[in-house]
Amino acid sequence: MRLNHRNTLQTLAMPAPRRRLGKISGAFAIGALLSVGLSGCGSMKPVKYYQLTHPPTTSLGGSPSAMDVSLLVRPFQTSHVYREDRIVYGGEGEQVGVYEYERWVEPPVELLQDALARGLRSSGHFRNVTTLRSDSTVEFSLIGHLYAFREVSTGGVVARLNFDVELLDLKAGKVIWRHTYNHDVPSSGKSVGDVAAALNKNVQLSVQEIQDGVVQTLANYQRK
């Protein structure tokens, strides 16, 4: 406390010209910092957004063309990194990171739900495919857990998609089918755009695989 008091007294005792110089110097320093901050804002990189494409799925050979079934595709459980729109990268270890200026148009967990719903709907196998829980006509529900939707560097660069899925009979209250999708698609290059394209392909493969499994399961289940 004595040291602070002495400093205060010394400042107050400073001749007037020196006090004015100190104020001017302080104002100049603040102005310089603001200038640097504004110039930094002007040089920010633009954010690039990536989306998935939704080609129609193909019908499984020998499967029924249409079933009188209404299907709900629910949001998957996942970690917080896949509930945000930034593209995730990492290696085979525990650590992952996110790109600041490369992002998805929606969080990966929402992209996957939308891709599954659109793919199953376009197949023509079902009476109705929805993402609305309030639909009272729904008889079966597709739920799951998303574990990986990211770039993985392991010497080469691959796009990894890994999730579990379950098909529930809502009336019976039981799971009638379980499946794990875990697949890497090699990236054609090292850019984030190349990785996004590989993830897009991986999602398409997963939608086809899930569709085939659901159709086969429901066809056999309804015969019982």
Side-chain angles (χ1 to χ4, degrees), residues 6-60:
R6 187 180 301 114
N7 287 341
T8 302
L9 291 176
Q10 289 174 350
T11 302
L12 291 175
M14 184 185 299
R18 291 182 62 190
R19 290 203 302 271
R20 285 197 295 270
L21 180 61
K23 291 180 180 179
I24 293 171
S25 300
F28 177 78
I30 294 173
L33 287 174
L34 288 173
S35 177
V36 171
L38 290 174
S39 64
C41 292
S43 61
M44 286 181 63
K45 292 175 59 179
V47 177
K48 295 180 180 179
Y49 288 92
Y50 299 88
Q51 62 184 359
L52 301 183
T53 59
H54 297 278
T57 54
T58 58
S59 296
L60 185 65

Side-chain angles (χ1 to χ4, degrees), residues 143-179:
I143 64 173
H145 195 121
L146 174 61
Y147 298 105
F149 192 110
R150 65 184 180 94
E151 170 190 327
V152 178
S153 299
T154 57
V157 179
V158 299
R160 177 165 298 171
L161 179 58
N162 179 16
F163 62 87
D164 291 337
V165 68
E166 294 181 341
L167 181 63
L168 284 74
D169 181 339
L170 295 177
K171 293 181 179 180
K174 65 178 182 179
V175 176
I176 62 174
W177 180 66
R178 289 186 175 92
H179 184 71

